[in-house]
Amino acid sequence: MSAFKPLVFSGVQPTGNLHLGNYLGAIKKFVALQEQSDCIYCVVDLHSLTAQLVYQDLGDQTRSITAAFLASGIDPKKHIVFNQSRVMQHAELAWIFNCVARIGWMYRMTQFKDKAGKDRENASLGLLAYPSLMAADILLYRATHVPVGEDQKQHLELTRDIAQKFNNDFSERIAALGVGVEMRIGEETVNGYFPITEPVIGGPAARIMSLRDGSKKMSKSDPSDLSRINLTDDADTISKKIRKAKTDPEALPSEVDGLESRPEAENLVGIYAGLAEISKADVLKEYGGQQFSVFKPALADLAVEKLAPIASEMRRIEGDRAYVDAVLKDGGDRARAIAEGTMKTVRDIIGLLQD
């Protein structure tokens, strides 16, 4: 094997309604990346169990995320869209990676510290091992690139560490089987079966903050619905939320540096930039010196133009449950075919007996 085939993988948890931050930070990137790469997009329902074990409607939430993918423009015929639990090789590879990864790596994960809080002894083992399953999600398909938000960048770095350690530990075996790619790890050349996956991060609105508090990330779990724009919101609701968004009394600055120490202003400018696909500097060229009484209506019009059609299409797709289920089944079958090939080779590398 001479090189890894370029492939994009990413996943979204089916926990609550998707919002503007999910769209600009992830799904919009998914749509753009499919024009230049083979892509696999996954609804990571197994991951959702780390947030909450018992759900009344996990299946419907999974369908809703799938509908958001499709309504935003992801093509399930050219690419793969499926839910994680259909392909049990995710769990098998995660166990192997649990044995590759070090406990110290997991305890250093900022997201575990934040979610477990001071009562770590009562946190689930799944929450601690979450990054190992994420690594399995990615490397099961030997993905070369993953679009991630800043909050997941550390987990992707751990994915790279796991791939590197696996490749290093089994380098001779990989070479003997002829299934690897020569790669440099530090000063050493090893034979690697897994790629060292690269993050895809960027854009003017990679991190969207709450409409009620510019210091907090926009979140599905915020008790105030006014803090976020849901992808299912209609035009009137989108406009209302932007009108009520927290601001400060000053006019918008003419330069990006002027947004420092003004988190709400920076957030709204970033949202406009992300929706319009321009830089924050370009937004300020047009609106610098203007009051929010001028800027907010322009932002509301732009948000309605970009998001209302997605909400309408989501509702239409969610109403066709048989279609959504067919997309997930077809995607699951195609993903499983790739996963089975990967795991057969991984078992050979490790030396597990198999048929």
Side-chain angles (χ1 to χ4, degrees), residues 141-162:
Y141 305 98
R142 301 207 292 170
T144 56
H145 293 83
V146 175
V148 291
E150 287 291 339
D151 59 333
Q152 289 291 335
K153 186 177 178 182
Q154 189 185 35
H155 287 171
L156 186 59
E157 290 170 352
L158 188 138
T159 296
R160 291 162 58 88
D161 290 341
I162 289 174

Side-chain angles (χ1 to χ4, degrees), residues 6-280:
L7 177 71
V8 171
F9 178 94
S10 197
V12 174
Q13 282 196 45
T15 50
N17 290 330
L18 291 182
H19 53 67
L20 178 65
N22 302 128
Y23 176 70
L24 289 178
I27 297 176
K28 193 166 181 286
K29 287 181 189 173
F30 296 178
V31 175
L33 286 167
Q34 70 177 350
E35 300 301 323
Q36 52 195 267
S37 303
D38 289 336
C39 300
I40 299 177
Y41 294 131
C42 183
V43 184
V44 288
D45 46 1
L46 294 177
H47 278 294
S48 70
L49 302 181
T50 65
Q52 177 181 332
L53 185 59
V54 180
Y55 288 84
Q56 300 300 320
D57 59 350
L58 186 56
D60 285 340
Q61 289 191 45
T62 297
R63 293 184 183 96
S64 180
I65 302 299
T66 305
F69 285 171
L70 304 180
S72 300
I74 292 173
D75 187 337
K77 293 182 179 177
K78 292 183 179 178
H79 305 279
I80 294 175
V81 176
F82 75 109
N83 60 299
Q84 181 188 30
S85 61
R86 288 177 186 267
V87 182
M88 294 312 297
Q89 287 83 0
H90 285 256
E92 181 182 3
L93 186 57
W95 172 252
I96 292 170
F97 285 168
N98 283 344
C99 299
V100 173
R102 308 290 91 176
I103 290 176
W105 298 357
M106 300 300 184
Y107 277 122
R108 285 196 292 271
M109 295 296 104
T110 301
Q111 195 169 102
F112 173 74
K113 293 176 184 177
D114 291 344
K115 291 188 176 181
K118 295 179 180 179
D119 194 16
R120 290 189 195 176
E121 294 301 315
N122 282 324
S124 74
L125 181 58
L127 183 63
L128 179 65
Y130 177 109
S132 185
L133 178 56
M134 179 174 163
D137 298 337
I138 295 164
L139 296 175
L140 186 60
Y141 305 98
R142 301 207 292 170
T144 56
H145 293 83
V146 175
V148 291
E150 287 291 339
D151 59 333
Q152 289 291 335
K153 186 177 178 182
Q154 189 185 35
H155 287 171
L156 186 59
E157 290 170 352
L158 188 138
T159 296
R160 291 162 58 88
D161 290 341
I162 289 174
Q164 182 170 307
K165 188 173 189 306
F166 183 97
N167 291 340
N168 190 64
D169 289 349
F170 292 101
S171 178
E172 292 184 8
R173 180 72 173 169
I174 291 167
L177 292 170
V179 294
V181 173
E182 282 195 353
M183 57 176 63
R184 295 284 292 178
I185 296 181
E187 299 298 316
E188 210 176 342
T189 298
V190 303
N191 293 278
Y193 181 65
F194 292 117
I196 308 302
T197 308
E198 295 290 337
V200 181
I201 298 175
R207 187 174 176 86
I208 302 300
M209 312 306 283
S210 165
L211 298 179
R212 308 303 293 166
D213 182 348
S215 67
K216 295 180 180 178
K217 186 179 175 183
M218 187 175 285
S219 171
K220 308 170 190 174
S221 60
D222 193 305
S224 172
D225 193 54
L226 290 173
S227 69
R228 60 187 170 271
I229 295 175
N230 302 305
L231 286 190
T232 52
D233 286 343
D234 60 22
D236 288 343
T237 303
I238 293 170
S239 295
K240 173 186 173 184
K241 288 180 176 180
I242 291 176
R243 287 197 310 270
K244 290 181 173 293
K246 184 180 177 182
T247 56
D248 57 50
E250 298 179 37
L252 285 172
S254 298
E255 304 291 336
V256 174
D257 288 348
L259 294 172
E260 290 184 13
S261 302
R262 298 181 63 187
E264 284 79 23
E266 182 173 15
N267 188 40
L268 294 184
V269 170
I271 290 171
Y272 193 108
L275 289 171
E277 299 182 358
I278 59 177
S279 68
K280 291 180 182 178

